[in-house]
Amino acid sequence: MAAALCCGLLDYKTEKFALTRNRRVGLLHRLLQLAVLGYLLGWVLVVRRGYQDTDAAPHVSVITKMKGVSVTRSKDASSRLWDVVDYASPPQGENVVFLVTNFIATAKQAQGTCPESPSVLDGMCTEDVDCPVGNPVVHGNGIKTGKCVMFNATHSTCEIYGWCPVENNTLPRKPLLAEAENFTLFIKNTVNFTKFNFSKANTLQTNDSTYFKSCTYDPFFNPSCPVFRIGDVVEAAGETFGDLALLGGSISIRIEWNCDLDQPSARCQPQYSFILVDRRYNFRTASYYWDSQRRPYRSLMKLYGIRFDISVHGQAGKFSIIPAAVSFGTGIAFFGAATVVCDLVLLYLDTQADFYWKEKFEEFARCGKAQVEHFSISPPSSSWNSVASLNCTWHRFNSYKIKDNR
């Protein structure tokens, strides 16, 4: 028993190669090899560039500037000039910038008492008891004074203490800054891949000082110009400027860098994409001043416009021996897997699986100076437990015997 156990622990397995003239399995083997080769060459090496080390977390910098001038005219025929300081926020330029395209103005508001707007449901009333003193108007403009007063000939509302007159809510039918469609947005973006000590900007390196003042971005004819016409950006996001400018909206500008540092640096260029995120965007702001009696006033502005969110993403790759070796080793392993699949088909699925099993697996038993004999293992369809046990029963073939009389 101990001798048999010792003999089993010291067994050595070696490969046996058998040429099988089975066209179906041979065709399957070649197809699997071609699939592995296509995956290795096409996907791993060409598409994914598996031979490169990568840096997918670049340091980025974004600076924005807007240019353009517009004039608006109100109902009283007064006009106002809007330049970049008035319609762009923040003025210093960041990766988020807002462009005013429409607005509602409420001029010369002063703190005092006045009727609440009838558009506020909590401000509606029929008598004084509907306006308890000191209660704020829900979604309204001030604090109730306890009186129910006439707002106009058809509506009664609670009197409030707040900034009076209350905010105007009449929206223009067309965007007041329609000329903003031709405004330009300059985006200067710099990426730094610290892993490879490589830095690149999206601005064209040129000695022409007037280039950025005259060029406009075009994905086909002028992709290196970082000056974007607002109307073109809105159109690229799938919207018309007139519709979006009326109530405002939000557009995401995505800058994608995909740099192959094994190629010349001039081929490392950004790709721009524009996505409409939201179709409504507005906020309120006010400018304050005092009259000669030092009484405070303010001009309230409800601004509608387009918010541009600029995001930068990137990846750079460069040849490195370690990922190249890993990719090559993976391909070799897949080639081995193709052989394993074909073996499984032969041994378990083919109609002559029993024959292939007997031809593939053989054992040579020798313990000490005992006789050496050649045995063939039965296929799994026979009694497998008798083969796997320690005192296994082998099927002996008299045609192949070796004697050792030492």
Side-chain angles (χ1 to χ4, degrees):
M1 183 70 177
L5 179 60
C6 179
C7 183
L9 292 176
L10 299 179
D11 282 350
Y12 169 72
K13 295 180 180 179
T14 185
E15 295 287 343
K16 175 185 177 181
F17 296 96
L19 177 61
T20 305
R21 299 190 181 278
N22 187 315
R23 293 184 178 182
R24 289 176 297 178
V25 178
L27 178 61
L28 174 63
H29 191 217
R30 297 308 178 201
L31 291 177
L32 291 175
Q33 287 180 330
L34 287 176
V36 171
L37 186 62
Y39 167 78
L40 182 62
L41 297 180
W43 177 254
V44 176
L45 298 182
V46 177
V47 178
R48 300 296 298 177
R49 295 199 290 264
Y51 55 87
Q52 291 183 334
D53 193 8
T54 59
D55 183 358
H59 294 179
V60 301
S61 172
V62 176
I63 299 174
T64 58
K65 291 182 181 179
M66 276 196 179
K67 291 293 181 67
V69 178
S70 179
V71 176
T72 60
R73 291 176 175 82
S74 59
K75 293 181 179 180
D76 58 1
S78 61
S79 60
R80 175 181 175 179
L81 177 70
W82 292 73
D83 62 10
V84 65
V85 178
D86 301 313
Y87 61 71
S89 177
Q92 72 272 19
E94 297 177 359
N95 59 342
V96 176
V97 62
F98 175 77
L99 169 65
V100 178
T101 57
N102 202 8
F103 64 90
I104 301 174
T106 306
K108 203 173 182 178
Q109 283 187 313
Q111 292 189 11
T113 57
C114 56
E116 180 59 277
S117 171
S119 62
V120 181
L121 295 179
D122 191 48
M124 302 296 292
C125 65
T126 56
E127 53 187 9
D128 291 349
V129 71
D130 297 327
C131 307
V133 180
N135 284 8
V137 181
V138 179
H139 304 301
N141 298 282
I143 306 298
K144 297 176 181 178
T145 64
K147 298 180 180 179
C148 183
V149 296
M150 295 298 296
F151 181 85
N152 52 31
T154 57
H155 293 89
S156 297
T157 60
C158 294
E159 183 184 65
I160 62 168
Y161 176 78
W163 287 96
C164 298
V166 293
E167 180 184 14
N168 175 25
N169 57 8
T170 303
L171 183 70
R173 295 183 178 180
K174 295 183 179 180
L176 297 177
L177 276 78
E179 293 87 352
E181 183 176 7
N182 296 314
F183 290 177
T184 58
L185 172 62
F186 172 74
I187 303 176
K188 183 178 181 180
N189 169 225
T190 303
V191 292
N192 185 10
F193 296 98
T194 56
K195 192 172 186 177
F196 305 116
N197 195 25
F198 177 81
S199 181
K200 188 70 182 290
N202 67 332
T203 53
L204 183 67
Q205 301 298 321
T206 177
N207 295 325
D208 185 2
S209 59
T210 63
Y211 174 75
F212 295 112
K213 297 181 181 179
S214 57
C215 75
T216 303
Y217 171 81
D218 185 277
F220 301 104
F221 302 106
N222 207 358
S224 299
C225 179
V227 180
F228 301 84
R229 179 177 172 269
I230 299 300
D232 295 339
V233 172
V234 175
E235 184 178 349
E239 188 60 274
T240 60
F241 179 82
D243 294 338
L244 192 64
L246 185 63
L247 296 175
S250 178
I251 292 179
S252 171
I253 301 178
R254 183 184 176 96
I255 305 176
E256 189 77 31
W257 294 83
N258 189 9
C259 299
D260 184 358
L261 301 186
D262 294 325
Q263 303 291 332
S265 60
R267 299 185 62 177
C268 177
Q269 297 294 334
Q271 299 294 322
Y272 301 93
S273 59
F274 311 94
I275 303 171
L276 180 64
V277 179
D278 198 355
R279 285 185 170 83
R280 286 177 177 268
Y281 190 84
N282 64 77
F283 64 92
R284 293 172 175 82
T285 184
S287 57
Y288 296 85
Y289 58 95
W290 287 260
D291 61 8
S292 57
Q293 285 77 36
R294 303 301 298 170
R295 185 181 180 186
Y297 289 88
R298 77 175 186 182
S299 293
L300 179 65
M301 300 281 287
K302 185 177 182 180
L303 302 177
Y304 297 84
I306 305 174
R307 170 187 168 124
F308 298 97
D309 294 272
I310 305 168
S311 60
V312 182
H313 308 268
Q315 176 174 293
K318 193 173 185 179
F319 176 80
S320 177
I321 190 63
I322 295 178
V326 171
S327 299
F328 182 75
T330 302
I332 297 300
F334 282 146
F335 276 112
T339 302
V340 172
V341 171
C342 293
D343 281 350
L344 293 177
V345 172
L346 277 176
L347 299 176
Y348 293 96
L349 302 179
D350 196 88
T351 55
Q352 298 182 1
D354 291 351
F355 171 75
Y356 291 126
W357 188 278
K358 292 178 181 179
E359 292 298 323
K360 181 174 178 61
F361 296 101
E362 294 180 341
E363 289 193 15
F364 295 87
R366 174 183 177 180
C367 293
K369 295 184 178 181
Q371 174 178 294
V372 178
E373 296 185 353
H374 165 261
F375 302 96
S376 176
I377 298 178
S378 298
S381 58
S382 63
S383 179
W384 183 258
N385 291 331
S386 63
V387 175
S389 63
L390 184 61
N391 296 321
C392 55
T393 302
W394 292 327
H395 300 276
R396 179 176 303 176
F397 292 83
N398 297 325
S399 61
Y400 192 82
K401 292 186 177 180
I402 300 176
K403 297 285 185 176
D404 188 351
N405 298 318
R406 290 180 297 170

